[in-house]
Amino acid sequence: MIRRTAFALALSMVPAAAMAEGTMPQMDFQNPLTTAQVLWMVVIMVVLYLTLSRWGLPQIGNILERREHQIASDLAAAHAAKAEADRAVAELHATMKQAREKAQADIAKAEADAKAKAFTDAKVLNDKLDAQLEYSEKQIAEARTTALAAIKPVAADVATTLMARLTGKAPDQAVLAPEIEAALAARKAA
Amino acid sequence: MAGPSIDALGQFRLSTGLGPLGAAINFTNSNEAMLASAAIIVVLFVLGLRSRAIVPGRLQALIELLYEFVRNMCVDTIGEEGLRFFPLVFTLFSFILLGNLLGLFPYFFAFTSHIAVTLSLALFVFAFSTGVGFYTHGFRFFKFFVPEGVPVWLLPLLVPIEIISYLSRPVSLSVRLFANMTAGHVMWEVFAGFMLLLTASFGIFGAFASIVPLGLNVALVALELLVAGLQAYVFAILTCLYLHDAVHMH
């Protein structure tokens, strides 16, 4: 910068070859236009300054401020929405966990209930079957006893009739009775 | 020598602009360029502020970029108090930047290449920042010329140096801008005139040889574009720096 300025100074102050007119127009302070341009510059710059400082620059400042505001509020809204979403996700996870635990507990309870019910049902059925079995056995025993009781007079009757038909005379009941008793016993033993 | 000669300084010659009306009120061709610069700035603002969109269009993005650039420069250099001077710095920066850039176009007058213009701007900045200094600190602002932590016997030497360096601020501020712009434009003119001289002196061979100064001028366009932006920036940041000194006194 310094070297360039020095070079520029040397070139502009002593441009012997270039000084066709003799002096630099910039240094010609006899020329009324040299000072007149400064006066008009003051007018132009004052107008420019007032235009920019009163109207142009505040407008841009407003735009930039509004944009900053908008960005800040948008960011805040986005942050709030993200927090909300995070909370909702956490809530969802918690609910899902809770629901899963409850479902598992329900399943376990239902299973236990079903097992217990099946157990009691089976027990009731068993008892009932046992009772029926006992009753039936008793009935069978009763029937057998009755049948056995009924078979003796029939056997005596048949034996008497057979003997009467074969021999022509009724057998002695005292002899017949023990014989039938023995035969029945043998049959029962077989 | 017959034929063309190099008139490198003619481009800086002032004349009256805007026809007879301009001649009557001494409105110069330099003022025409100033008016064009100011008009371009205002038109940029009018067009850029048309939609006032949250998501800016091209022109709105351009003026917002300019706004934030100068605003950050003020705040970074002067501090939060710098926002008071932001419109002033913005006006100076945009006016000088547009003046430098417009001056790069052929037939446009580069008003920043006039020492009267740059010195007026620099003197205004100097007077304004000194005024701010006295307004902010009263007569304590004189302590600005007394460096802190220096042995007393050195003060008679240092205080005059400080005062001289302070008073030379408008000179360096104005000469820097003026010299840079003048040098660039003179070099352009010299190289361009050299092409005519070559052709006039050596005919067809000279015309071919003038591709060299032409190439140099093309390279100079890039350099001058850089210088135009840089010098406007330097002027603005030095203004901020002087205002910083006035506000903070160190």
Side-chain angles (χ1 to χ4, degrees):
Chain A
M1 183 63 62
I2 291 170
R3 191 188 298 170
R4 186 180 156 81
T5 308
F7 172 62
L9 266 179
L11 199 69
S12 53
M13 296 294 185
V14 215
M19 298 274 273
E21 303 301 305
T23 55
M24 289 177 71
Q26 289 101 315
M27 294 300 173
D28 184 10
F29 289 101
Q30 306 299 319
N31 187 348
L33 294 181
T34 309
T35 41
Q37 68 169 340
V38 173
L39 292 180
W40 282 112
M41 177 180 75
V42 172
V43 174
I44 293 169
M45 280 204 77
V46 166
V47 173
L48 180 64
Y49 174 77
L50 290 178
T51 312
L52 291 183
S53 65
R54 296 283 155 83
W55 170 76
L57 296 173
Q59 299 279 353
I60 302 182
N62 282 346
I63 293 175
L64 294 178
E65 204 171 306
R66 197 155 51 99
R67 178 177 311 153
E68 213 163 294
H69 239 77
Q70 173 106 41
I71 290 172
S73 70
D74 283 2
L75 266 182
H79 277 308
K82 189 180 181 307
E84 178 84 7
D86 282 349
R87 229 184 30 171
V89 168
E91 209 169 284
L92 176 69
H93 279 308
T95 312
M96 271 167 69
K97 191 160 171 265
Q98 214 175 329
R100 196 178 296 128
E101 273 166 8
K102 188 169 176 299
Q104 262 162 1
D106 281 355
I107 290 167
K109 189 167 170 295
E111 207 176 307
D113 278 359
K115 267 186 189 160
K117 189 164 179 299
F119 186 71
T120 44
D121 280 359
K123 196 162 179 296
V124 166
L125 193 63
N126 270 351
D127 286 355
K128 204 167 137 193
L129 288 175
D130 281 351
Q132 250 172 7
L133 208 62
E134 209 172 319
Y135 176 73
S136 305
E137 271 172 0
K138 213 163 79 186
Q139 272 200 330
I140 290 166
E142 243 169 61
R144 171 180 280 169
T145 320
T146 317
L148 281 178
I151 216 165
K152 218 184 285 179
V154 174
D157 240 15
V158 171
T160 309
T161 313
L162 276 174
M163 290 300 282
R165 286 269 178 92
L166 288 172
T167 58
K169 68 173 184 175
D172 186 6
Q173 287 298 323
V175 178
L176 192 64
E179 284 295 328
I180 289 172
E181 204 76 52
L184 276 175
R187 180 85 41 107
K188 202 185 257 178
Chain B
M1 180 174 65
S5 65
I6 300 175
D7 177 17
L9 295 173
Q11 56 180 325
F12 303 121
R13 206 166 299 123
L14 289 166
S15 59
T16 54
L18 293 185
L21 178 68
I25 55 176
N26 271 355
F27 196 90
T28 65
N29 50 354
S30 150
N31 295 129
E32 280 180 336
M34 292 176 190
L35 201 59
S37 303
I40 288 174
I41 296 165
V42 173
V43 166
L44 272 180
F45 269 77
V46 170
L47 294 180
L49 282 171
R50 243 181 343 185
S51 58
R52 287 155 213 251
I54 287 290
V55 178
R58 272 181 219 169
L59 278 176
Q60 194 184 333
L62 177 70
I63 54 170
E64 279 179 12
L65 197 79
L66 212 59
Y67 177 97
E68 296 207 304
F69 176 70
V70 180
R71 191 179 185 279
N72 289 344
M73 180 161 67
C74 280
V75 173
D76 292 349
T77 316
I78 314 176
E80 280 301 322
E81 307 94 322
L83 285 181
R84 275 188 294 155
F85 311 117
F86 165 58
L88 178 71
V89 176
F90 188 93
T91 307
L92 281 171
F93 175 72
S94 57
F95 185 67
I96 294 173
L97 179 68
L98 259 295
N100 290 352
L101 290 177
L102 272 189
L104 297 183
F105 287 94
Y107 299 108
F108 274 77
F109 195 91
F111 61 81
T112 42
S113 66
H114 261 256
I115 185 74
V117 170
T118 60
L119 188 64
S120 308
L121 290 173
L123 281 176
F124 166 73
V125 167
F126 176 74
F128 181 76
S129 60
T130 309
V132 168
F134 280 112
Y135 179 82
T136 315
H137 303 288
F139 283 106
R140 276 178 301 136
F141 187 60
F142 281 117
K143 277 177 75 182
F144 181 69
F145 302 109
V146 184
E148 271 176 60
V150 172
V152 180
W153 58 272
L154 261 179
L155 285 181
L157 185 66
L158 281 179
V159 170
I161 292 178
E162 288 286 332
I163 291 174
I164 290 171
S165 85
Y166 188 79
L167 291 179
S168 67
R169 279 175 171 184
V171 179
S172 66
L173 190 60
S174 60
V175 168
R176 183 181 299 110
L177 178 58
F178 149 73
N180 270 289
M181 297 315 292
T182 302
H185 284 78
V186 166
M187 281 198 283
W188 256 342
E189 192 86 34
V190 167
F191 285 133
F194 193 51
M195 290 166 68
L196 297 181
L197 281 182
L198 276 176
T199 315
S201 308
F202 302 107
I204 188 77
F205 298 109
F208 274 113
S210 60
I211 193 123
V212 176
L214 178 67
L216 279 170
N217 259 2
V218 170
L220 269 180
V221 173
L223 182 68
E224 288 308 312
L225 210 56
L226 173 75
V227 168
L230 194 66
Q231 288 307 320
Y233 174 74
V234 166
F235 197 98
I237 197 126
L238 282 175
T239 303
C240 287
L241 217 61
Y242 297 162
L243 286 170
H244 167 89
D245 286 348
V247 173
H248 297 289
M249 274 187 54
H250 55 74

